[in-house]
Each structure stands twice: as structure tokens, then as C-alpha cells.
Amino acid sequence: MALEAQPLLWLALWTLAVLARSSGEDADGGCYAFSRPVILQGLTDNSRFRDLCTRQRLLASFGDSVVRLSTANTYSYQKVDLPFEKYVEQMLHPQDPISMGNDTLYFFGDNNFTEWASLFRHYSPPPFSLLGTTPAYSFGIAGAGSGVPFHWHGPGFSEVIYGRKRWFLYPPEKTPKFHPNKTTLAWLQDTYPALTPSARPLECTIQAGEVLYFPDRWWHATLNLDTSVFISTFLG
């Protein structure tokens, strides 16, 4: 695990306690879980799920399944359907730094939960919830250098199963400087080096087996440092 900028792990144990509560505290009552990202380790044993997520096993189980890809830009307007095997064999190559977001297809989020239920039933999500939320999974596989540029949504957890994923995060009140159709890799090369220290995001690299909690409405961009398998549990 690598952390940069402001530490993300302060009060981590208190965060876990807060997340586990089912009632009695609102979001404005000093609840750390609603306001700061945190990296979590050793929460669950997903070794069986990891075994099922190897390239060979995924292709054997889901190679003929049709998956829906999204463009890797902020708004992800375009959707493309194709067999999972074709995506794995032809599109899991390293990201071209000059490709635009709307030219880059990415498998994450648009999962057929009935078709993939045999896999998802082996996943153990973090054993915490937020009051008034219903968890939902988003499963993804992507090549090195891929990722999604800055966007925001509701709170949740993101776990890396294989590979490494770098995160860049800003609080809701601090809108980052970015182009919605430039990839995270292009932003990292073109915009990031010119940022002043005060304008830089919180950063971390999530390793296989680690989980990042991302709070509600926080801006974030992701960059897969390797060919990566990952799953998010959205608490919206």
C-alpha cells in the first residue's frame, strides 16, 4: 500500500466502528465515515473469489457471455455490447496515452447479475453498511493504464482482486481541473505535474486484497497500474 498527500488511515478503527452502527448518528454529527476516504485491510477472506477470477476460469465460465462496455470518459455516454472472450482477448492491452476517453472501452458496472450470479455469490463484501442504503456490486476488468477520469457518485467500497489501482480524490467542495473526455492517464501526464501542492488530490494505490472506502459525492479518478480485476460495493 502506498499513500501520498494527506494520510487516509487516521482514525481507521473508529471509522470501522462508525460504519458498523445501524442508527443513532447523522452525517453532520462528526461521523468520519461520511467525510473521509479510508483504506481497509484484512476485512474478509475472498481467496475463493480470487481463484475464480483468474483469466482461465473467467473465460471458461463467461467467455460466451455478452458484456456491456462503457467509454472511459466522465459521462460514459456510449455503450458497446460484445462477448466477454473478445473483450479479454482483444481489448485488455495497455492504454494508449493519446487515446481520448470516448475511444476507450472499459468493462465495469454494467453487469448482468443473473448471468454472473455464480461468481458474485462467492464474494464477501466489507461487513459494514450505512444507514438507509442498499448495497450493489459493480465488477470490472481492465488493462494497464486504463481508468475512469474524475466523476462522483454515492458512497461505497472498492476492492482490488488482481493488480493495482491508483486513486486520486478531492472532497465535494473542491472540483478538480480536468477535461471530461481525456483519460486519467492523459490527465496524469498533462495536468497533474503542473498542479501546486495545495491543488493536488489525495492519492493512494490499492493493492490486491485491499479495500478503499470512498465517501458520498467525493470526486475521484482511477488508474489501473496493471491488468486488474476489481469489484465495488455501492452503498446508494
CSV table of all heavy atoms in Angstrom, one decimal, residues 118-146:
chain,number,residue,atom,x,y,z
A,118,SER,N,-23.3,-16.9,-10.3
A,118,SER,CA,-22.4,-18.0,-9.9
A,118,SER,C,-21.1,-17.5,-9.4
A,118,SER,O,-20.4,-18.1,-8.6
A,118,SER,CB,-22.2,-19.0,-11.0
A,118,SER,OG,-21.6,-18.4,-12.1
A,119,LEU,N,-20.6,-16.3,-9.9
A,119,LEU,CA,-19.3,-15.7,-9.4
A,119,LEU,C,-19.6,-14.9,-8.2
A,119,LEU,O,-18.9,-15.0,-7.2
A,119,LEU,CB,-18.7,-14.9,-10.6
A,119,LEU,CG,-17.4,-14.1,-10.2
A,119,LEU,CD1,-16.3,-15.1,-9.8
A,119,LEU,CD2,-17.0,-13.2,-11.3
A,120,PHE,N,-20.6,-14.0,-8.3
A,120,PHE,CA,-20.8,-13.0,-7.2
A,120,PHE,C,-21.1,-13.6,-5.9
A,120,PHE,O,-20.9,-13.0,-4.8
A,120,PHE,CB,-21.8,-12.0,-7.6
A,120,PHE,CG,-21.4,-11.1,-8.8
A,120,PHE,CD1,-22.4,-10.5,-9.6
A,120,PHE,CD2,-20.1,-10.8,-9.0
A,120,PHE,CE1,-22.0,-9.7,-10.7
A,120,PHE,CE2,-19.7,-10.0,-10.1
A,120,PHE,CZ,-20.7,-9.5,-10.9
A,121,ARG,N,-21.7,-14.8,-5.9
A,121,ARG,CA,-22.1,-15.4,-4.6
A,121,ARG,C,-20.9,-15.8,-3.8
A,121,ARG,O,-21.1,-16.1,-2.6
A,121,ARG,CB,-23.0,-16.6,-4.9
A,121,ARG,CG,-22.4,-17.9,-5.5
A,121,ARG,CD,-23.3,-19.1,-5.4
A,121,ARG,NE,-22.7,-20.3,-5.9
A,121,ARG,CZ,-23.1,-20.8,-7.0
A,121,ARG,NH1,-24.1,-20.3,-7.7
A,121,ARG,NH2,-22.5,-21.9,-7.5
A,122,HIS,N,-19.7,-15.9,-4.4
A,122,HIS,CA,-18.5,-16.2,-3.7
A,122,HIS,C,-17.8,-15.0,-3.1
A,122,HIS,O,-16.8,-15.1,-2.5
A,122,HIS,CB,-17.6,-17.0,-4.6
A,122,HIS,CG,-18.1,-18.4,-5.0
A,122,HIS,ND1,-18.1,-19.4,-4.1
A,122,HIS,CD2,-18.7,-18.8,-6.1
A,122,HIS,CE1,-18.6,-20.5,-4.7
A,122,HIS,NE2,-19.0,-20.1,-5.9
A,123,TYR,N,-18.3,-13.8,-3.4
A,123,TYR,CA,-17.7,-12.6,-3.0
A,123,TYR,C,-18.2,-12.2,-1.6
A,123,TYR,O,-19.4,-12.1,-1.4
A,123,TYR,CB,-17.9,-11.4,-3.9
A,123,TYR,CG,-17.2,-10.1,-3.5
A,123,TYR,CD1,-15.8,-10.0,-3.3
A,123,TYR,CD2,-18.0,-9.0,-3.1
A,123,TYR,CE1,-15.2,-8.9,-2.9
A,123,TYR,CE2,-17.4,-7.9,-2.7
A,123,TYR,CZ,-16.0,-7.8,-2.5
A,123,TYR,OH,-15.4,-6.6,-2.1
A,124,SER,N,-17.3,-11.8,-0.7
A,124,SER,CA,-17.7,-11.3,0.6
A,124,SER,C,-17.4,-9.9,0.7
A,124,SER,O,-16.2,-9.5,0.8
A,124,SER,CB,-16.9,-12.1,1.7
A,124,SER,OG,-17.2,-13.5,1.7
A,125,PRO,N,-18.4,-9.0,0.7
A,125,PRO,CA,-18.2,-7.6,0.7
A,125,PRO,C,-17.7,-7.1,2.1
A,125,PRO,O,-17.9,-7.9,3.1
A,125,PRO,CB,-19.5,-7.0,0.4
A,125,PRO,CG,-20.5,-8.0,0.9
A,125,PRO,CD,-19.8,-9.3,0.6
A,126,PRO,N,-17.2,-5.9,2.3
A,126,PRO,CA,-16.9,-5.4,3.6
A,126,PRO,C,-18.1,-5.5,4.5
A,126,PRO,O,-19.2,-5.2,4.1
A,126,PRO,CB,-16.5,-4.0,3.4
A,126,PRO,CG,-16.0,-4.0,2.0
A,126,PRO,CD,-16.8,-5.0,1.2
A,127,PRO,N,-17.9,-5.9,5.8
A,127,PRO,CA,-19.1,-6.2,6.6
A,127,PRO,C,-19.6,-5.0,7.3
A,127,PRO,O,-19.9,-5.0,8.5
A,127,PRO,CB,-18.5,-7.2,7.7
A,127,PRO,CG,-17.1,-6.8,7.8
A,127,PRO,CD,-16.7,-6.3,6.4
A,128,PHE,N,-19.8,-3.9,6.6
A,128,PHE,CA,-20.3,-2.7,7.1
A,128,PHE,C,-21.3,-2.1,6.1
A,128,PHE,O,-21.3,-2.4,4.9
A,128,PHE,CB,-19.2,-1.7,7.3
A,128,PHE,CG,-18.0,-2.2,8.0
A,128,PHE,CD1,-16.8,-2.5,7.3
A,128,PHE,CD2,-18.1,-2.5,9.4
A,128,PHE,CE1,-15.7,-3.0,8.0
A,128,PHE,CE2,-17.0,-3.0,10.0
A,128,PHE,CZ,-15.8,-3.3,9.4
A,129,SER,N,-22.2,-1.3,6.7
A,129,SER,CA,-23.2,-0.6,5.9
A,129,SER,C,-23.5,0.8,6.4
A,129,SER,O,-23.1,1.1,7.5
A,129,SER,CB,-24.5,-1.4,5.8
A,129,SER,OG,-25.1,-1.5,7.2
A,130,LEU,N,-24.1,1.6,5.6
A,130,LEU,CA,-24.5,2.9,6.0
A,130,LEU,C,-26.0,2.9,6.1
A,130,LEU,O,-26.7,2.3,5.3
A,130,LEU,CB,-24.0,4.0,5.0
A,130,LEU,CG,-22.5,4.1,4.9
A,130,LEU,CD1,-22.2,5.2,3.9
A,130,LEU,CD2,-21.9,4.5,6.3
A,131,LEU,N,-26.5,3.6,7.1
A,131,LEU,CA,-28.0,3.7,7.4
A,131,LEU,C,-28.7,4.1,6.2
A,131,LEU,O,-28.4,5.1,5.5
A,131,LEU,CB,-28.2,4.6,8.6
A,131,LEU,CG,-29.7,4.7,9.1
A,131,LEU,CD1,-30.1,3.3,9.6
A,131,LEU,CD2,-29.8,5.8,10.1
A,132,GLY,N,-29.8,3.4,5.8
A,132,GLY,CA,-30.6,3.8,4.7
A,132,GLY,C,-30.1,3.5,3.3
A,132,GLY,O,-30.6,4.0,2.4
A,133,THR,N,-29.1,2.6,3.2
A,133,THR,CA,-28.5,2.3,1.9
A,133,THR,C,-28.7,0.8,1.6
A,133,THR,O,-28.8,0.0,2.5
A,133,THR,CB,-27.1,2.7,1.8
A,133,THR,OG1,-26.3,1.8,2.7
A,133,THR,CG2,-26.8,4.1,2.1
A,134,THR,N,-28.7,0.5,0.3
A,134,THR,CA,-28.8,-0.9,-0.2
A,134,THR,C,-27.6,-1.2,-1.0
A,134,THR,O,-27.4,-0.5,-2.0
A,134,THR,CB,-30.1,-1.1,-1.0
A,134,THR,OG1,-31.2,-0.8,-0.2
A,134,THR,CG2,-30.1,-2.6,-1.5
A,135,PRO,N,-26.7,-2.1,-0.7
A,135,PRO,CA,-25.5,-2.4,-1.5
A,135,PRO,C,-25.8,-3.0,-2.8
A,135,PRO,O,-26.7,-3.7,-3.0
A,135,PRO,CB,-24.7,-3.3,-0.6
A,135,PRO,CG,-25.7,-4.0,0.3
A,135,PRO,CD,-26.8,-3.0,0.5
A,136,ALA,N,-24.9,-2.6,-3.8
A,136,ALA,CA,-25.0,-3.2,-5.2
A,136,ALA,C,-23.6,-3.3,-5.7
A,136,ALA,O,-22.7,-2.5,-5.5
A,136,ALA,CB,-25.8,-2.3,-6.1
A,137,TYR,N,-23.3,-4.5,-6.4
A,137,TYR,CA,-22.0,-4.7,-6.9
A,137,TYR,C,-21.8,-4.2,-8.3
A,137,TYR,O,-22.7,-4.1,-9.1
A,137,TYR,CB,-21.7,-6.3,-7.0
A,137,TYR,CG,-21.7,-7.0,-5.6
A,137,TYR,CD1,-22.1,-8.3,-5.6
A,137,TYR,CD2,-21.3,-6.4,-4.5
A,137,TYR,CE1,-22.1,-9.0,-4.4
A,137,TYR,CE2,-21.3,-7.0,-3.3
A,137,TYR,CZ,-21.7,-8.4,-3.2
A,137,TYR,OH,-21.7,-9.1,-2.0
A,138,SER,N,-20.5,-3.8,-8.5
A,138,SER,CA,-20.0,-3.5,-9.9
A,138,SER,C,-18.7,-4.2,-10.1
A,138,SER,O,-17.8,-3.9,-9.3
A,138,SER,CB,-19.9,-2.0,-10.1
A,138,SER,OG,-21.2,-1.4,-10.3
A,139,PHE,N,-18.6,-5.1,-11.0
A,139,PHE,CA,-17.4,-5.9,-11.3
A,139,PHE,C,-16.7,-5.4,-12.5
A,139,PHE,O,-17.4,-5.0,-13.5
A,139,PHE,CB,-17.8,-7.3,-11.4
A,139,PHE,CG,-16.7,-8.3,-11.7
A,139,PHE,CD1,-15.8,-8.6,-10.7
A,139,PHE,CD2,-16.6,-8.9,-12.9
A,139,PHE,CE1,-14.8,-9.5,-11.0
A,139,PHE,CE2,-15.6,-9.8,-13.2
A,139,PHE,CZ,-14.7,-10.1,-12.2
A,140,GLY,N,-15.4,-5.4,-12.5
A,140,GLY,CA,-14.7,-4.9,-13.6
A,140,GLY,C,-13.3,-5.5,-13.9
A,140,GLY,O,-12.7,-6.1,-13.0
A,141,ILE,N,-12.9,-5.5,-15.1
A,141,ILE,CA,-11.6,-6.0,-15.6
A,141,ILE,C,-11.1,-5.0,-16.6
A,141,ILE,O,-11.8,-4.6,-17.5
A,141,ILE,CB,-11.7,-7.4,-16.2
A,141,ILE,CG1,-12.3,-8.4,-15.3
A,141,ILE,CG2,-10.3,-7.9,-16.7
A,141,ILE,CD1,-12.7,-9.7,-15.9
A,142,ALA,N,-9.8,-4.6,-16.5
A,142,ALA,CA,-9.3,-3.5,-17.4
A,142,ALA,C,-7.8,-3.7,-17.5
A,142,ALA,O,-7.1,-4.2,-16.6
A,142,ALA,CB,-9.7,-2.2,-16.9
A,143,GLY,N,-7.2,-3.2,-18.6
A,143,GLY,CA,-5.8,-3.2,-18.9
A,143,GLY,C,-5.0,-2.1,-18.2
A,143,GLY,O,-5.6,-1.2,-17.6
A,144,ALA,N,-3.7,-2.3,-18.2
A,144,ALA,CA,-2.8,-1.3,-17.6
A,144,ALA,C,-3.0,0.0,-18.2
A,144,ALA,O,-3.0,0.1,-19.5
A,144,ALA,CB,-1.4,-1.8,-17.7
A,145,GLY,N,-3.0,1.1,-17.4
A,145,GLY,CA,-3.1,2.4,-18.0
A,145,GLY,C,-4.5,2.9,-18.2
A,145,GLY,O,-4.8,4.1,-18.5
A,146,SER,N,-5.5,2.0,-18.0
A,146,SER,CA,-6.9,2.4,-18.2
A,146,SER,C,-7.4,2.9,-16.9
A,146,SER,O,-6.8,2.9,-15.8
A,146,SER,CB,-7.7,1.1,-18.6
A,146,SER,OG,-7.7,0.2,-17.6
